[in-house]
Amino acid sequence: MATAPDRFVSTSFDQLSDEELKTAMLMHVRMGFLMKNPGKSKEAEVIAQDIIDRLSLDQLRKIHPDTFFSNKKMGELPKNPYEVALELLGEG
């Protein structure tokens, strides 16, 4: 008999450990970079990691609320997480 597939378990951002938050934001910023710079997937990981390394944990927590559809009113678009991260660094 086949085993059941692993289920994706989602944890609220405010309940993530510091390392889990960094990992989640790395994926989120990388995705935002790729949305802004299609075709540059080879550079995305390095650029996203550099940004995450320069942001404080408090700054990382500020990225989440503005960048997810679930936190926006109907018809309001979320911000690009890459652009929000650059703004927090004073580079956007």
Side-chain angles (χ1 to χ4, degrees):
M1 184 188 253
T3 60
D6 291 337
R7 293 183 187 203
F8 176 74
V9 178
S10 177
T11 303
S12 174
F13 268 79
D14 59 350
Q15 295 178 353
L16 295 176
S17 70
D18 294 350
E19 282 306 308
E20 289 170 328
L21 176 66
K22 287 179 182 180
T23 300
M25 287 294 102
L26 175 64
M27 291 186 294
H28 202 44
V29 170
R30 182 178 58 223
M31 177 212 45
F33 174 82
L34 289 171
M35 288 171 37
K36 187 85 174 158
N37 302 283
K40 294 192 176 187
S41 59
K42 291 181 181 180
E43 297 136 347
E45 185 73 29
V46 173
I47 290 171
Q49 186 65 61
D50 176 61
I51 290 170
I52 296 303
D53 290 344
R54 293 187 290 144
L55 291 167
S56 69
L57 291 172
D58 286 337
Q59 288 173 313
L60 290 174
R61 288 184 186 97
K62 289 178 183 176
I63 294 173
H64 172 258
D66 288 327
T67 58
F68 280 88
F69 280 105
S70 60
N71 295 328
K72 294 297 188 179
K73 295 176 185 169
M74 184 66 104
E76 188 178 357
L77 293 176
K79 295 180 180 178
N80 181 310
Y82 169 70
E83 292 174 340
V84 173
L86 290 180
E87 287 172 17
L88 289 169
L89 290 171
E91 299 174 11

